[in-house]
Amino acid sequence: MAITLVRHTRPDVAEGLCYGRTDLGLAAGSMADCDGVITRLSCPTMVVSSPLERCRVLASRISGAFGVEQTVSQDFAEMDFGHWENRRWDDIGRDALDAWAADFLGYAGHGGESVAQLRDRVARGLDSVPEGALVVTHAGVIKAALVLRGDAAGWDHRPGFGAVVRV
């Protein structure tokens, strides 16, 4: 089943900040970036969005451009990084990051979700959308979807802002 995943455009956030579930607006100039994404898309059967504003803005523009239904799904929200949210990655601490690396799928020492929980949530979301749907989402969700669709290197994928990935 083919589904198109689109990463939101650049959020209004400082470089190097862990912002997972933090609800951020878009950076200045993002409407032009949104329009640039739309020019690279085919008409979807429907648009599904993460509930976070940085995705809903783009999803709404895509839905309007193609005249298709838009819904919101919690299954496509970014990973919850718990008490790491809104902290600089450099300030989280080497020990904590090493612990995560040592148990990449299972670690939840930050008080949020583990990568395995993210993966399972994304699997549920992918199972709920019809063929031809377009999902506006986040880098972590795209990585999980790639792994779920058989890409062994999916966790290493680095989708840029506005990236379009078909799974």
Side-chain angles (χ1 to χ4, degrees):
M1 168 167 61
I3 296 170
T4 301
L5 303 172
V6 178
R7 185 177 181 202
H8 58 80
T9 56
R10 184 171 303 281
D12 185 15
V13 66
E15 289 291 323
L17 198 71
C18 175
Y19 56 88
R21 284 281 178 95
T22 303
D23 202 5
L24 303 166
L26 293 175
S30 62
M31 290 307 115
D33 294 340
C34 290
D35 293 342
V37 169
I38 292 168
T39 65
R40 296 182 282 133
L41 301 173
S42 300
C43 184
T45 56
M46 70 180 301
V47 175
V48 181
S49 178
S50 157
L52 301 179
E53 180 181 358
R54 60 189 184 264
C55 292
R56 287 185 293 110
V57 170
L58 177 56
S60 180
R61 291 181 75 87
I62 294 168
S63 175
F66 290 107
V68 296
E69 174 189 1
Q70 176 188 343
T71 63
V72 173
S73 172
Q74 293 289 334
D75 289 334
F76 297 110
E78 183 58 286
M79 185 169 149
D80 179 353
F81 284 99
H83 59 81
W84 289 1
E85 293 275 335
N86 289 313
R87 291 181 62 193
R88 293 190 45 76
W89 285 103
D90 291 343
D91 295 338
I92 290 171
R94 185 82 253 152
D95 290 344
L97 294 173
D98 287 346
W100 183 23
D103 184 13
F104 179 68
L105 290 176
Y107 180 84
H110 44 55
E113 197 171 32
S114 70
V115 172
Q117 289 171 313
L118 167 70
R119 179 201 59 211
D120 295 348
R121 178 168 50 79
V122 171
R124 182 178 62 233
L126 290 173
D127 287 346
S128 73
V129 296
E131 171 117 16
L134 181 144
V135 178
V136 181
T137 190
H138 310 271
V141 172
I142 291 171
K143 292 176 179 197
L146 288 169
V147 168
L148 288 163
R149 298 296 189 189
D151 182 347
W155 294 122
D156 297 323
H157 188 71
R158 303 225 182 271
F161 296 116
V164 177
V165 177
R166 288 179 178 77
V167 295

